[in-house]
Amino acid sequence: MSDDLLRSLNAIDLFELQNTGIALADKNFKITWFNKSFKKTAGTGRIKGISISSLFNISLPEIDQISSSSKSIVVPLPSYGKNLILTSIAQQKKNGSNAFFVELFPLSDYSGDIQNDQIIQNLKFQKELQEILVLLLKEKSVEVITEEVLSRLYNISKSDFGIVVLYDRDDKKHYIYFDPQNILSSKDDVEKAVNYNSSFITKWLELNRRPLLALNHQNNIGYGLVQSLNCESICIAPCYFDNVLQAEIILGKLSSTFSSSHISIVEQFATILSFAISNIKTRELNQALESRLLQAQKLETIGKLSSGMAHDFNNLLSSIFGSLNLLRNRVPDTESVTRLIDNIENCSIRAKDLTKGLLAFGKPTPKRKEIVYPNLLLNELVKVIVQTFPKNLTIEEKIENNLHSILGNSTEIYQILLNLCVNAKEAIEGKGKITIAAENILIDEKNSINYPLLDKGKYVKLSVSDTGIGIDEENLPKIFDPYFSTKQKDTGSGLGLYVTYGIIKAHNGHVEVSSKVGEGTTFDVYIPVFEPNKIDKTKAGNKIIMLADDEEMLSDILGEMLETYGYYVVKVKSSEEVIQVLTEEIKVDLLIIDYNMPQMNGIECVGQLRKRNFTMPVIISSGSLNFDDVELEKVKINSKLLKPYEFETMLKTIQELI
């Protein structure tokens, strides 16, 4: 299409003067001519030769469908406030290929009735908006607000059905429907279709941050979803707040499409809904955070008080034990007297164990720390409870295979998990299920709002859930109090969860509890992942390292690990060999030498090398530090490591030196 066709239409001058945007496109929808009004709308970039789809970021029907139609095709452009009208023009030349006449009409100019409809729709929208804002002030439920927004959009846009997909914690989806005509017969099929088509649609929404109009045309984004829902068109609007996708609104029409004004209203309601969801979540989070902080402050106060009491009580017990020893030597060795003394001693031992629990809560300090592998620990735990718990209980496992290792005391971690499982068993009356779950989680900028009492980083989340009687809301804040119990008096009570809380805190962890009466209880324990010093995992290049150690096994292991990082390794077994190899054979970039070498120790060897003008950096290692820093400085030894060291520590030291 060119100026020849325009002149044949005797309209070029008229088109140039039109306030309406007008253009011509070839059979591939590429612009061949346009007037000033069209350029003003389309932008200042290149227009000629660019396809209509690329220019306005839209999807168009198949060319054959437009060419064979006697009617114009209307495509809404909500971001431009216009409708794009495509009309096929047959050229009576050569192969008779088609071209297209393109018009950009403001809504008020396209149809005589649209202006009145627009005014009515605006009035409806203002009224609905006012009602939603009033509801938002008093409503506390995301579901109720969502249903209200959906029902109003359904009426204003004259849709046949509506769906909202809510994104919960960890991007889990929750669906809310508004379908008065029962068009969506199978909710499962709808959700499968939405999930199946969500990847491309969500990506488009993330990039464009505006509603997507999906039409029943094969080259249209969202065509698969339109087909699955048996619609002519679907409007999908993202609800973003603070760059977080809170929800997606999906409206469908069975036999028509959405106008620009309808899409604009959907976009405004999406903004309102995103704010409403974020506002309600923030309120809920503030209430939960306030409750947790009060609980933490209360437990901290109790801990300090109990710790002081336990310290004084231990002093009294020490006097009691000392007096018992004296008493045994001074009273007659009769059965009745011995029985009384044994009774006093046994009670004192029980009291001593109780004070240990109080001290563990008041001043949580874990015992000897070690690397704990949660998968192994949980496997042992599951074996024990499966064998010992009543057969009327079902034990379910939801444990990830490759849980991160954690730093702590395996006995204590096993103790708290076993304690939680026993509590779960006692909460179930008759048949029930206990679920033991574990997963790796990462807390970062995106989800830190969901974990307000935890620092950012990696955690192992250990969970114990039951289908028992549950804990009512009144008792939930008290469960970590000393001696608090919901059990019957004759079943006894003890420090239980009080000590569990102390052990978790000693591991720099956190515990959360959720429960509903009649449904069950879930304990979630978060323990930080053990992360050794971060090291550079890149290959080393052509660096040569000499290992001097008379322990051949240690030298072989270290050498093999260094070779996996791209280092060349030379291994020797004595100080004399170090000097000989360096003097006669090879130049190295780094020397790692053991202090306890035969005949000549490591420091003496390095001293000889410095006299021979060798300047390479040196790391000295030893099982005991029988030397001071002054000796190292004399011979210019750069670093020292105490055996046994972690390989990551050695590798990081090497990378710092070379």
Side-chain angles (χ1 to χ4, degrees), residues 436-478:
I436 300 172
E439 62 178 330
N440 297 319
I441 66 166
L442 173 65
I443 299 177
D444 53 19
E445 294 288 348
K446 295 180 180 178
N447 63 355
S448 59
I449 191 172
N450 297 323
Y451 306 94
L453 297 181
L454 289 172
D455 296 329
K456 293 173 186 173
K458 296 178 181 178
Y459 292 82
V460 175
K461 178 183 175 184
L462 307 167
S463 303
V464 177
S465 305
D466 64 67
T467 56
I469 57 175
I471 306 170
D472 60 44
E473 195 170 336
E474 181 184 353
N475 287 327
L476 205 55
K478 305 175 187 176

Side-chain angles (χ1 to χ4, degrees), residues 232-293:
E232 183 62 29
S233 64
I234 290 176
C235 179
I236 308 170
C239 301
Y240 277 95
F241 189 85
D242 197 20
N243 291 323
V244 176
L245 182 62
Q246 305 284 354
E248 289 176 6
I249 298 174
I250 303 174
L251 297 169
K253 291 189 177 185
L254 299 181
S255 57
S256 61
T257 188
F258 291 85
S259 68
S260 297
S261 60
H262 285 156
I263 293 175
S264 177
I265 289 173
V266 172
E267 186 172 14
Q268 293 179 69
F269 266 106
T271 303
I272 294 168
L273 182 58
S274 64
F275 171 76
I277 293 171
S278 178
N279 183 51
I280 291 172
K281 285 184 176 179
T282 301
R283 275 188 278 173
E284 291 175 349
L285 182 64
N286 286 340
Q287 291 173 358
L289 184 57
E290 183 180 356
S291 176
R292 290 176 188 174
L293 288 174

Side-chain angles (χ1 to χ4, degrees), residues 1-2 5 23-33 49-53 60-68 86-91 93-102 219:
M1 182 63 59
S2 63
L5 176 63
L24 295 175
D26 64 15
K27 64 179 182 178
N28 296 316
F29 293 138
K30 291 184 178 180
I31 301 295
T32 58
W33 179 89
I50 304 299
S51 69
I52 297 172
S53 299
L60 295 173
E62 296 289 345
I63 294 175
D64 294 340
Q65 293 179 2
I66 301 178
S67 302
S68 60
L86 277 175
T87 306
S88 176
I89 305 173
Q91 296 189 61
K93 288 184 179 182
K94 296 180 181 178
N95 58 4
S97 60
N98 285 1
F100 298 95
F101 190 67
V102 185
N219 63 339

Side-chain angles (χ1 to χ4, degrees), residues 200-219:
F200 291 109
I201 293 174
T202 303
K203 189 66 178 176
W204 190 93
L205 295 174
E206 182 181 351
L207 291 173
N208 294 277
R209 299 295 175 94
R210 60 184 175 84
L212 168 68
L213 180 61
L215 303 174
N216 193 16
H217 304 301
Q218 287 186 354
N219 63 339

Side-chain angles (χ1 to χ4, degrees), residues 263-427:
I263 293 175
S264 177
I265 289 173
V266 172
E267 186 172 14
Q268 293 179 69
F269 266 106
T271 303
I272 294 168
L273 182 58
S274 64
F275 171 76
I277 293 171
S278 178
N279 183 51
I280 291 172
K281 285 184 176 179
T282 301
R283 275 188 278 173
E284 291 175 349
L285 182 64
N286 286 340
Q287 291 173 358
L289 184 57
E290 183 180 356
S291 176
R292 290 176 188 174
L293 288 174
L294 289 173
Q295 176 74 355
Q297 289 172 354
K298 182 179 72 174
L299 292 173
E300 184 180 357
T301 302
I302 294 172
K304 290 178 180 178
L305 177 62
S306 62
S307 179
M309 292 173 61
H311 183 268
D312 293 339
F313 196 42
N314 266 338
N315 289 336
L316 296 173
L317 286 173
S318 299
S319 298
I320 292 172
F321 283 118
S323 300
L324 282 172
N325 289 329
L326 292 174
L327 193 60
R328 287 186 187 279
N329 296 325
R330 294 184 182 182
V331 300
D333 190 11
T334 62
E335 183 179 349
S336 58
V337 173
T338 302
R339 187 170 63 251
L340 288 172
I341 293 175
D342 289 342
N343 188 34
I344 295 171
E345 186 173 28
N346 290 334
C347 290
S348 300
I349 290 171
R350 289 183 63 190
K352 181 181 177 183
D353 291 337
L354 287 175
T355 58
K356 284 183 181 178
L358 290 170
L359 284 169
F361 189 90
K363 294 183 179 179
T365 52
K367 300 171 185 175
R368 181 179 60 86
K369 288 186 176 181
E370 59 192 6
I371 297 177
V372 179
Y373 299 97
N375 285 108
L376 298 177
L377 186 142
L378 288 166
N379 287 339
E380 291 299 320
L381 176 70
V382 171
K383 286 179 185 177
V384 170
I385 65 174
V386 167
Q387 293 172 0
T388 59
F389 278 22
K391 300 303 179 185
N392 61 314
L393 298 180
T394 302
I395 308 299
E396 183 180 6
E397 298 177 61
K398 293 183 179 179
I399 301 171
E400 287 187 2
N401 290 327
N402 298 308
L403 296 173
H404 296 310
S405 55
I406 55 183
L407 190 64
N409 186 277
S410 58
T411 302
E412 291 185 336
I413 295 172
Y414 184 91
Q415 176 190 343
I416 63 175
L417 292 174
L418 183 60
N419 188 26
L420 293 176
C421 289
V422 171
N423 286 348
K425 178 194 73 172
E426 294 178 351

